[in-house]
Amino acid sequence: AGCGDRGGREERCAGAGATSPCHEDNQVKIAQLDGITPILAAMERHVGHQLCLQYCCWALKNLALNEANKNRIAAGRGPRLIVEALRAYPGHAGIVEEACGCIRKLVWGNAENQNRVAGEGGIEAIIAGMTMHLGKASVQQQCGLALGDLAWSNEANQARAGRAGAIPPIIAGMQAHPTHSGTQGGLALGNLASLCVSNRRAIAAAGGIPAILRSMRANLQYPGVQEYGCWAMRHLALDPECKQLLLRDNAPQVIRQGMQEYPSRPGVQDQGNAALKNLLG
């Protein structure tokens, strides 16, 4: 789950632009012509060229929209090179944003790729980049979604992210960008809390509950914020202390408001009902 990639980049590189989501045939053709190999080779050869690394991550991100390409990138040196770029330049917003976007494409719904990226130190590298770009909404978005996708249904990654300090910067991003970070914040916190019990109280201790509720109240016009806010509260409510905090802050009222606003949106209704059941059942 997540937000779409930003547009307006076709002018930067003809080859990479041909891999946009509107050109699925080109994704296949580039791979058939062994276009992935020179991109990875360029990342190895030009480790000191930040713009090269940024655009290589961008190209790999778009190529990975194709499932066969995704598997090919992830099975080789792709995860290592992407994480190395992210680790080497946490202060370069373009690299952080594109590397995280690429990681999202590689790991979404794929436990093996989640573990490969985590094994290369990807979780820690994302957190470092996220912390250095609190003021840039697009970087916070991609970092939050990447952490969320790495944590999805993966208890080991959830625990690793919690130990590495992922929770405070996610919440800080939600607070810094209240109209831009609600979806990824709810998604990431919900995924981190879904299986890892210790993360639930860590989220509460870091101020995650008021941040989620504040985001939902401020972004009623965005169904994704409502859905993933409910997703997060659904799991947080499994902890007795978190449940009391949610009830104290009138979480059921916020959940019902979102459900009333989107009566025909299955995600909002399903997650809202699940959250209410855990809070009031």
Side-chain angles (χ1 to χ4, degrees), residues 79-136:
R80 172 178 62 83
L81 293 171
I82 294 162
V83 172
E84 284 179 353
L86 186 54
R87 186 187 296 117
Y89 299 105
H92 190 288
I95 290 176
V96 175
E97 182 173 347
E98 298 301 347
C100 286
C102 188
I103 287 171
R104 287 181 54 210
K105 297 298 186 294
L106 294 179
V107 307
W108 191 84
N110 190 308
E112 187 175 358
N113 291 352
Q114 286 176 325
N115 293 334
R116 282 177 179 149
V117 171
E120 296 290 347
I123 290 172
E124 293 79 4
I126 292 169
I127 295 168
M130 189 175 197
T131 303
M132 293 189 70
H133 299 283
L134 181 60
K136 193 166 180 62

Side-chain angles (χ1 to χ4, degrees), residues 10 41 75 89-90 166 173 184 208 269:
E10 287 77 12
Y89 299 105
Q184 66 266 25
Q269 296 298 312

Side-chain angles (χ1 to χ4, degrees), residues 161-214:
R163 290 193 303 269
I167 291 167
I170 293 170
I171 295 170
M174 295 175 70
Q175 293 169 338
H177 306 284
T179 61
H180 290 85
S181 298
T183 300
Q184 66 266 25
L187 169 71
L189 294 177
N191 286 359
L192 287 170
S194 63
L195 299 172
C196 185
V197 175
S198 62
N199 281 349
R200 295 170 189 162
R201 292 197 180 181
I203 290 168
I209 288 172
I212 293 166
L213 293 171
R214 190 181 306 114

Side-chain angles (χ1 to χ4, degrees), residues 1-280:
C3 302
D5 295 309
R6 295 185 300 161
R9 295 190 176 177
E10 287 77 12
E11 74 281 6
R12 293 185 178 178
C13 172
T19 64
S20 69
C22 299
H23 295 85
E24 295 179 6
D25 289 344
N26 288 343
Q27 294 165 9
V28 175
K29 290 175 182 177
I30 289 172
Q32 289 174 341
L33 293 169
D34 198 25
I36 293 173
T37 299
I39 294 172
L40 297 175
M43 294 182 73
E44 284 189 313
R45 188 177 304 117
H46 301 290
V47 293
H49 196 298
Q50 297 176 24
L51 203 59
C52 176
L53 294 174
Q54 176 183 343
Y55 291 157
C56 284
C57 287
W58 176 56
L60 291 173
K61 174 187 72 176
N62 288 326
L63 283 164
L65 291 166
N66 175 278
E67 189 69 19
N69 290 349
K70 177 171 78 171
N71 293 334
R72 183 173 178 182
I73 293 165
R77 44 197 174 146
R80 172 178 62 83
L81 293 171
I82 294 162
V83 172
E84 284 179 353
L86 186 54
R87 186 187 296 117
Y89 299 105
H92 190 288
I95 290 176
V96 175
E97 182 173 347
E98 298 301 347
C100 286
C102 188
I103 287 171
R104 287 181 54 210
K105 297 298 186 294
L106 294 179
V107 307
W108 191 84
N110 190 308
E112 187 175 358
N113 291 352
Q114 286 176 325
N115 293 334
R116 282 177 179 149
V117 171
E120 296 290 347
I123 290 172
E124 293 79 4
I126 292 169
I127 295 168
M130 189 175 197
T131 303
M132 293 189 70
H133 299 283
L134 181 60
K136 193 166 180 62
S138 60
V139 175
Q140 295 298 307
Q141 179 187 65
Q142 292 303 317
C143 288
L145 291 171
L147 288 171
D149 288 342
L150 280 162
W152 166 252
S153 292
N154 191 316
E155 187 172 1
N157 282 358
Q158 290 174 27
R160 181 168 181 167
R163 290 193 303 269
I167 291 167
I170 293 170
I171 295 170
M174 295 175 70
Q175 293 169 338
H177 306 284
T179 61
H180 290 85
S181 298
T183 300
Q184 66 266 25
L187 169 71
L189 294 177
N191 286 359
L192 287 170
S194 63
L195 299 172
C196 185
V197 175
S198 62
N199 281 349
R200 295 170 189 162
R201 292 197 180 181
I203 290 168
I209 288 172
I212 293 166
L213 293 171
R214 190 181 306 114
S215 177
M216 292 177 70
R217 291 187 180 104
N219 294 283
L220 188 60
Q221 71 273 32
Y222 297 119
V225 175
Q226 305 305 310
E227 177 178 348
Y228 289 114
C230 290
W231 166 253
M233 289 190 285
R234 167 185 182 174
H235 298 294
L236 289 169
L238 296 172
D239 179 90
E241 290 187 14
C242 294
K243 180 177 179 178
Q244 291 305 312
L245 291 172
L246 286 161
L247 292 172
R248 183 199 68 185
D249 290 346
N250 297 317
Q253 177 186 355
V254 176
I255 293 167
R256 291 191 182 103
Q257 186 177 17
M259 294 176 71
Q260 291 168 2
E261 188 73 15
Y262 298 101
S264 60
R265 180 95 175 193
V268 175
Q269 296 298 312
D270 292 346
Q271 297 307 323
N273 282 322
L276 289 173
K277 179 180 178 182
N278 289 346
L279 281 168
L280 304 175

